[in-house]
Amino acid sequence: MLEIVAADYSYPGGIAAVSGIGLALQPGEKVAILGPNGAGKTTLLTLLNGTIRPDRGSVRLDGQEIRYDKAGLRHLRRQVGLVLQDPDDQLFAASVFEDVSFGPLNLGLAPNAARGQVDAALAAMRIEDLRDRPTHMLSFGQRKRVAIAGIVAMQPRYLLLDEPSAGLDPFSVSHLMAALRRIAGQETAILLTTHDIDMAYGWADRIVIFGEGRIACDGAPEDIFADRALLHRLHMRPPLIWEIAQAMRAAGMLPATGPLPRTRRDLLQLIGHETATMDRIAADLSV
Amino acid sequence: MLEIVAADYSYPGGIAAVSGIGLALQPGEKVAILGPNGAGKTTLLTLLNGTIRPDRGSVRLDGQEIRYDKAGLRHLRRQVGLVLQDPDDQLFAASVFEDVSFGPLNLGLAPNAARGQVDAALAAMRIEDLRDRPTHMLSFGQRKRVAIAGIVAMQPRYLLLDEPSAGLDPFSVSHLMAALRRIAGQETAILLTTHDIDMAYGWADRIVIFGEGRIACDGAPEDIFADRALLHRLHMRPPLIWEIAQAMRAAGMLPATGPLPRTRRDLLQLIGHETATMDRIAADLSV
Amino acid sequence: MHIMEGYLPASHCIGWAAASAPFVILGLRRIARVVREHPQVKMLLAASGAYVFVLSALKLPSVTGSCSHPTGTGLAASLFGPTVTTVLSAIVLLFQALLLAHGGLTTLGANIFSMGIVGPFVAYGLYRGIQAIGLGTTIAIFTAATLGDLATYVTTSFQLAIAFPDPASGIIGAAAKFLGIFAVTQVPLAISEGLLTVVVWNLLSKY
Amino acid sequence: MRLIDRNAQTNRWRRLPALEKAALAIGMMTAALCSPGWMAQGVVLVSCAALLLWGARISCRDILRSASVPAGFIALSSLAQVVTLQLNSAWPVLGLSEAALLPAGFIALRSLACVAALLFLALTTPLTDILRLLRRAGIGPEASDIALMMFRFIWLTLDCVESSSRSQANRLGYDGYRRSLRSLGLLLAALLPRVLNRAQRVEAGLAARGYDGELRFIDLEEKLSLVRLAGTAALITTIAMIGRVGY
């Protein structure tokens, strides 16, 4: 388990970035963090991976408080991988393969083992075909996937991603989320930040909302979005699908019980299903 | 009218960015361009503002083909403002006010007149409070608004924006779109690129879809999204609101005629209205 | 390695400023000429200057474990030639004084002389010379960057020695003292900078 | 790295004319540099500290932190001065010169006073204001435009370097000397094309705003005040006279 406990962090100059935040990430979980620009989401990720050190509070891995010396950070970063928002900050080597092998080689793996992990990461991100391409000739979406592969190749148990879907077209986003779903299946926990509430609602097991440097709420999507007063205070809107489904339920167009649809497909099916039922009823009546 | 006619452009190295594109922008219009990463959307904007010159074809302002000498470009850029995606590519001065005053001064305005246009632009973008702040100490969302103000202060008749909503949280996006709606009201045409299909659907009078360096379609939102085969070929999905409304209409939950809802609020009202009607009917029946 | 604000007597400050001025003016003229022909060079030089500045503010891993800052002028001189590097160095030194309080305004002339003139010219001369002999680019770049950096440090030590001669052994003795004291950080730094410049150069030539 | 700039951008005196602040700083620096006596240096040191603390309202901690690096260098150089070196015997002999103690102390104090004057300027005045001053003084539009853009590019480049080195550290790129050197080399090599590319994009971005080769904007500086200038002149004259006395 990766935890942050009662942590404060202020930027030089005294501006508080986060205060009193606490969060625990269980193996295998899929968690999405929402919140406005500048609310402290990125700060949380960099705290969790030891890049910055909390002014107060602590970060714990499997119950042990992490140490900020070389060995301690090395231990932490083997298990906690962080993908930054801008892929250009993360690609250095001339070719995709070389770049993705940077992490595994630094882990001290033998060339053959490293090669295996690189190939696995390229396969997980579905970019085997980019293997030998020069990094400076990739498109934005490709660079983004290569940057993620660079961390995935280190096989962290906790994968943190800062705005992985930012700047991608919807088709690339759905590909990326599918890749993250495949990776999360293998005992890896994923924690990502996003502005895309609908995507978060369809993907995450758990949603955390940040507001003004604090964690405003943390829980199952159904519970979070049911609290209208809270969302209003945070200037947030519930996911469109959730809101429409709620309105339809209130209007009697969807059954009053049962799980709410999470994705576009779920909702459309539900509407179609209802139609089918209504058609059947209508047919029954007309008999 | 700002037009581009049968234009081709290839990047140095011979990779075609756009080919045979044609588009006309009328004063006062609100147009959104959709399309995957790398389809040529940004290239179109830079062609329209004379930053790059088409290999074939032409760009015309009010029927006159533009000249690419100093005076010609000066004339074009007085009327056609371009806001780049990355605000850091457009900001250079030390403080917000100084930076926004750059464009108006370049137009040859006297300091006092320039000052007035700067203040008007800061007010239009609702960033009067940032007036005195150093540019390199602003957040991403703030820099984005300052970059737009820098162009708005030049009071162009055609305002082009490359991915204005990218990287912004939903609340900031709705603020930004409201600001753009205010500006568009004043005889200014706005053309923007985006990946946010739902936002485009709610905001634009006209939608243009790019695919592989060509304009795949251009027209009213209702017509564009009705062509399922085309969208499928372009790996695009219709807006969620449109799709749900269609499904509900097909299921008989919404009336078969009348305009489709464009925004979240429209749709929710429509669902609520239907409920009210049904309640009324139920009440009538029970009488 | 810079001489701090107020460390040199007024006469030395004026003297070194006068010695540096012609080089700076020469470089400015050259830039003005190039900018007139290719206006976009202005932005490229600004970006390169920022690169050199940030490079000089980076902490460099050092073999002795201590951290120090490279000058970056070896790389700049190899890329842009020595006269342009002099102007960029002058701006970088002004910025270092006003953004980091490294060096100073009164000692600007002396620091331009060591870091903006002697360093780049030595580096550039070695780079061209060694290439001409045919010893290969890697050796040329390493030697140029390392000795360019060392030349800056030797010059600074002599500038201090002329200002503060040793009561017993004069300027030579004083220079030996300054060289000795700063050698602890500067010699490993120069080697690191040489190695780093080679790594960067080799990677850049791949693009 | 951002400490001095942050204060320059946010202190209470940031909008005062750069000319006034520069006149005060350079006047005090000159007075300190040219005074043979100890007292003038002390007065400069104290006045600068007082002006920074109570005038510009800069925190004591930030002043000390920005002075720490130059102070370290001054200490190291002074060490070289108090040590003597005998070269005329068979071996070079190091010794401690008592006679050199006093002059070395004086140089250190003078240097500290000048650093204080430099910090007064640096901590109260945004660097771009100083560049505008230099431009008015006639250093040529090329150099001043390059310097102005360089200032902007420095922050962009620094952001890139910080994120990039963080990302390399995330992938364990800074374990050991060899790996660190290689990682830093990779970073700098990837950075240069990025920075040059940025220059091209900024060129296009400014062109969209009517850039024709000259950077101009309306500044927010306050008007020159004769009262403040007179005060400055009086302070510097007093320090120069104290210096003349010779203590």
Side-chain angles (χ1 to χ4, degrees):
Chain A
M1 193 169 67
L2 178 66
E3 280 175 292
I4 184 161
V5 186
D8 291 3
Y9 182 78
S10 297
Y11 287 115
I15 310 140
V18 294
S19 58
I21 52 167
L23 188 77
L25 194 60
Q26 308 288 344
E29 258 189 321
K30 295 199 296 285
V31 182
I33 304 184
L34 300 170
N37 295 109
K41 305 188 296 294
T42 305
T43 308
L44 170 66
L45 298 190
T46 45
L47 280 167
L48 281 174
N49 130 298
T51 304
I52 54 175
R53 191 178 178 155
D55 300 331
R56 247 185 303 278
S58 63
V59 177
R60 293 179 201 165
L61 183 61
D62 299 326
Q64 286 236 299
E65 196 164 317
I66 63 166
R67 285 165 301 121
Y68 289 84
D69 54 13
K70 266 204 164 155
L73 287 176
R74 199 181 156 83
H75 174 70
L76 179 70
R77 286 175 183 159
R78 268 171 194 274
Q79 319 221 24
V80 182
L82 169 61
V83 182
L84 305 178
Q85 183 176 350
D86 188 348
D88 293 331
D89 292 338
Q90 300 176 80
L91 305 181
F92 308 97
S95 81
V96 169
F97 185 86
E98 271 180 68
D99 197 275
V100 177
S101 66
F102 182 80
L105 289 178
N106 288 340
L107 284 175
L109 293 176
N112 259 340
R115 201 177 289 264
Q117 295 198 190
V118 173
D119 285 331
L122 295 178
M125 297 306 299
R126 299 270 193 275
I127 46 171
E128 298 99 325
D129 54 320
L130 301 181
R131 205 170 185 275
D132 298 316
R133 290 273 286 280
T135 42
H136 63 279
M137 286 174 72
L138 300 173
S139 73
F140 179 76
Q142 291 170 332
R143 292 205 297 278
K144 200 113 191 179
R145 274 181 283 172
V146 172
I148 299 175
I151 297 291
V152 169
M154 295 172 76
Q155 305 189 340
R157 280 168 56 215
Y158 302 91
L159 179 59
L160 319 177
L161 302 109
D162 197 10
E163 304 263 0
S165 65
L168 292 182
D169 59 66
F171 186 64
S172 309
V173 172
S174 50
H175 265 258
L176 177 66
M177 299 319 289
L180 291 183
R181 215 170 276 128
R182 284 194 296 276
I183 293 164
Q186 305 157 355
E187 278 282 293
T188 307
I190 299 188
L191 175 70
L192 55 81
T193 65
T194 184
H195 288 314
D196 188 340
I197 300 177
D198 291 289
M199 181 271 274
Y201 180 57
W203 175 84
D205 304 328
R206 208 174 112 200
I207 287 191
V208 177
I209 303 186
F210 257 72
E212 292 160 356
R214 290 167 190 283
I215 289 179
C217 56
D218 175 353
E222 307 77 80
D223 304 334
I224 299 267
F225 294 122
D227 191 346
R228 292 209 152 247
L230 176 80
L231 292 184
H232 186 77
R233 216 171 58 236
L234 296 169
H235 295 299
M236 288 197 52
R237 286 195 301 206
L240 185 54
I241 290 171
W242 189 91
E243 203 166 28
I244 291 170
Q246 286 285 3
M248 288 173 71
R249 179 176 268 182
M253 296 176 191
L254 289 183
T257 55
L260 278 176
R262 285 274 204 109
T263 63
R264 175 188 290 239
R265 182 188 283 171
D266 290 353
L267 181 60
L268 290 175
Q269 258 175 6
L270 216 53
I271 296 174
H273 177 72
E274 282 298 290
T275 329
T277 319
M278 277 169 69
D279 285 352
R280 198 164 37 77
I281 295 170
D284 285 356
L285 286 176
S286 72
V287 167
Chain B
M1 192 169 68
L2 178 65
E3 280 175 291
I4 184 161
V5 186
D8 291 4
Y9 182 77
S10 298
Y11 287 114
I15 309 139
V18 293
S19 56
I21 51 169
L23 188 79
L25 194 61
Q26 308 289 345
E29 258 189 321
K30 296 200 295 284
V31 182
I33 304 185
L34 300 171
N37 296 109
K41 305 190 294 298
T42 304
T43 308
L44 170 66
L45 297 190
T46 44
L47 279 167
L48 280 175
N49 129 298
T51 305
I52 54 175
R53 192 178 177 156
D55 301 331
R56 249 186 303 280
S58 64
V59 177
R60 293 179 200 165
L61 183 61
D62 299 326
Q64 286 234 297
E65 196 165 314
I66 63 164
R67 284 166 300 123
Y68 289 84
D69 52 14
K70 257 198 169 167
L73 287 176
R74 204 181 154 84
H75 174 71
L76 179 71
R77 285 175 183 156
R78 267 170 196 274
Q79 319 222 20
V80 182
L82 169 62
V83 181
L84 303 179
Q85 181 177 353
D86 187 347
D88 291 331
D89 291 342
Q90 224 153 0
L91 304 178
F92 78 96
S95 80
V96 169
F97 186 88
E98 288 173 336
D99 196 89
V100 177
S101 72
F102 177 70
L105 287 183
N106 285 335
L107 289 178
L109 291 176
N112 259 339
R115 214 174 270 268
Q117 294 198 190
V118 174
D119 284 331
L122 295 178
M125 298 306 299
R126 301 269 194 273
I127 46 171
E128 296 100 324
D129 53 320
L130 301 180
R131 206 169 184 274
D132 212 18
R133 290 274 288 279
T135 33
H136 63 278
M137 289 168 75
L138 300 174
S139 74
F140 178 78
Q142 291 170 332
R143 292 204 299 279
K144 201 113 190 177
R145 274 180 286 172
V146 172
I148 298 175
I151 296 293
V152 169
M154 296 172 75
Q155 306 189 339
R157 279 169 56 215
Y158 301 92
L159 179 59
L160 319 177
L161 302 109
D162 198 8
E163 304 265 358
S165 64
L168 293 182
D169 60 68
F171 187 65
S172 308
V173 171
S174 51
H175 265 258
L176 176 65
M177 298 320 288
L180 291 183
R181 215 170 277 125
R182 282 194 297 278
I183 294 164
Q186 306 157 354
E187 278 283 291
T188 307
I190 299 187
L191 176 69
L192 56 81
T193 67
T194 184
H195 287 314
D196 189 339
I197 300 177
D198 291 290
M199 182 270 273
Y201 180 58
W203 175 84
D205 304 328
R206 208 172 112 200
I207 287 191
V208 176
I209 302 187
F210 257 70
E212 294 158 356
R214 291 167 191 283
I215 290 179
C217 56
D218 176 353
E222 307 77 80
D223 303 333
I224 300 267
F225 295 122
D227 192 345
R228 291 208 155 248
L230 175 80
L231 292 184
H232 186 76
R233 216 172 58 237
L234 296 169
H235 294 299
M236 287 195 53
R237 285 195 301 208
L240 184 55
I241 289 170
W242 189 90
E243 203 166 29
I244 290 170
Q246 286 285 3
M248 288 173 73
R249 180 175 269 182
M253 297 176 190
L254 288 184
T257 56
L260 279 175
R262 286 274 203 109
T263 63
R264 174 187 290 240
R265 180 187 283 171
D266 290 352
L267 180 61
L268 290 175
Q269 258 176 2
L270 216 52
I271 296 175
H273 177 74
E274 282 299 290
T275 331
T277 318
M278 276 169 69
D279 285 353
R280 197 163 39 77
I281 294 171
D284 285 355
L285 285 177
S286 71
V287 169
Chain C
M1 179 180 130
H2 308 328
I3 303 175
M4 285 300 115
E5 188 73 272
Y7 214 79
L8 292 181
S11 55
H12 288 244
C13 296
I14 295 165
W16 289 116
S20 298
F23 292 90
V24 176
I25 290 166
L26 207 70
L28 278 174
R29 286 233 179 105
R30 204 181 139 76
I31 288 175
R33 201 167 55 235
V34 179
V35 165
R36 223 169 294 129
E37 286 162 25
H38 311 281
Q40 69 278 16
V41 166
K42 210 145 98 172
M43 222 58 92
L44 289 177
L45 281 176
S48 313
Y51 180 79
V52 172
F53 180 89
V54 169
L55 206 157
S56 73
L58 277 183
K59 285 201 173 98
L60 202 60
S62 174
V63 263
T64 53
S66 72
C67 274
S68 206
H69 304 284
T71 65
T73 48
L75 185 61
S78 317
L79 287 169
F80 314 115
T83 35
V84 171
T85 304
T86 301
V87 177
L88 288 184
S89 304
I91 302 176
V92 166
L93 283 163
L94 178 71
F95 278 29
Q96 285 182 334
L98 291 169
L99 284 177
L100 303 168
H102 282 194
L105 300 178
T106 59
T107 54
L108 195 59
N111 287 329
I112 290 176
F113 194 82
S114 64
M115 191 181 121
I117 297 169
V118 175
F121 274 90
V122 166
Y124 189 72
L126 284 168
Y127 171 65
R128 291 317 269 291
I130 294 172
Q131 271 204 324
I133 307 168
L135 280 178
T137 313
T138 303
I139 295 175
I141 289 289
F142 176 76
T143 317
T146 308
L147 295 185
D149 196 335
L150 280 178
T152 299
Y153 139 72
V154 170
T155 309
T156 306
S157 298
F158 269 97
Q159 286 171 325
L160 286 169
I162 296 167
F164 307 106
D166 191 282
S169 48
I171 291 175
I172 301 296
K177 283 190 313 195
F178 285 113
L179 283 169
I181 283 182
F182 292 113
V184 185
T185 57
Q186 294 301 313
V187 174
L189 172 68
I191 294 168
S192 285
E193 176 157 5
L195 291 172
L196 182 71
T197 310
V198 170
V199 174
V200 174
W201 188 271
N202 286 341
L203 287 165
L204 279 178
S205 52
K206 270 199 209 167
Y207 280 98
Chain D
M1 175 78 214
R2 295 168 204 266
L3 176 73
I4 291 181
D5 176 68
R6 192 174 57 238
N7 281 294
Q9 303 286 358
T10 52
N11 76 87
R12 199 161 67 108
W13 283 354
R14 77 187 178 287
R15 291 287 170 230
L16 291 187
L19 181 63
E20 291 180 18
K21 290 179 278 191
L24 182 58
I26 290 171
M28 291 212 270
M29 208 180 274
T30 315
L33 197 64
C34 300
S35 298
W38 291 64
M39 208 142 84
Q41 333 280 353
V43 173
V44 168
L45 194 57
V46 170
S47 344
C48 286
L51 287 168
L52 280 173
L53 276 172
W54 293 298
R57 300 266 166 83
I58 289 170
S59 74
C60 190
R61 191 161 155 262
D62 281 359
I63 298 175
L64 291 177
R65 274 172 64 199
S66 40
S68 63
V69 173
F73 266 93
I74 291 169
L76 212 56
S77 307
S78 304
L79 182 69
Q81 280 195 61
V82 277
V83 169
T84 54
L85 187 65
Q86 295 280 352
L87 287 177
N88 40 14
S89 46
W91 297 94
V93 179
L94 276 177
L96 191 75
S97 158
E98 276 175 38
L101 266 177
L102 211 60
F106 173 73
I107 300 295
L109 179 67
R110 183 180 76 193
S111 194
L112 276 178
C114 289
V115 166
L118 173 72
L119 280 177
F120 170 75
L121 182 64
L123 286 167
T124 58
T125 318
L127 183 48
T128 45
D129 289 6
I130 297 170
L131 293 177
R132 189 162 50 230
L133 203 61
L134 287 174
R135 187 189 193 124
R136 280 194 215 130
I139 63 156
E142 284 85 15
S144 75
D145 278 1
I146 289 173
L148 185 68
M149 285 313 302
M150 210 171 118
F151 179 74
R152 174 81 188 128
F153 284 133
I154 281 174
W155 305 114
L156 295 177
T157 311
L158 197 66
D159 285 341
C160 284
V161 168
E162 280 173 358
S163 308
S164 301
S165 57
R166 275 179 180 191
S167 132
Q168 289 183 319
N170 290 345
R171 291 157 77 186
L172 305 173
Y174 288 97
D175 279 6
Y177 176 72
R178 278 181 66 97
R179 207 179 272 168
S180 302
L181 202 63
R182 172 155 172 82
S183 292
L184 200 58
L186 280 168
L187 191 160
L188 292 176
L191 188 66
L192 187 62
R194 269 182 87 185
V195 167
L196 298 179
N197 194 4
R198 168 78 75 182
Q200 276 170 349
R201 297 210 314 263
V202 169
E203 183 95 27
L206 293 190
R209 301 172 65 188
Y211 175 62
D212 54 8
E214 195 192 333
L215 298 173
R216 54 189 147 217
F217 44 80
I218 302 173
D219 61 69
L220 293 171
E221 223 173 58
E222 286 173 22
K223 287 208 167 62
L224 278 179
S225 144
L226 287 177
V227 178
R228 285 192 300 257
L229 278 174
T232 304
L235 179 62
I236 292 165
T237 318
T238 315
I239 294 171
M241 273 158 57
I242 294 171
R244 271 288 168 86
V245 175
Y247 290 105

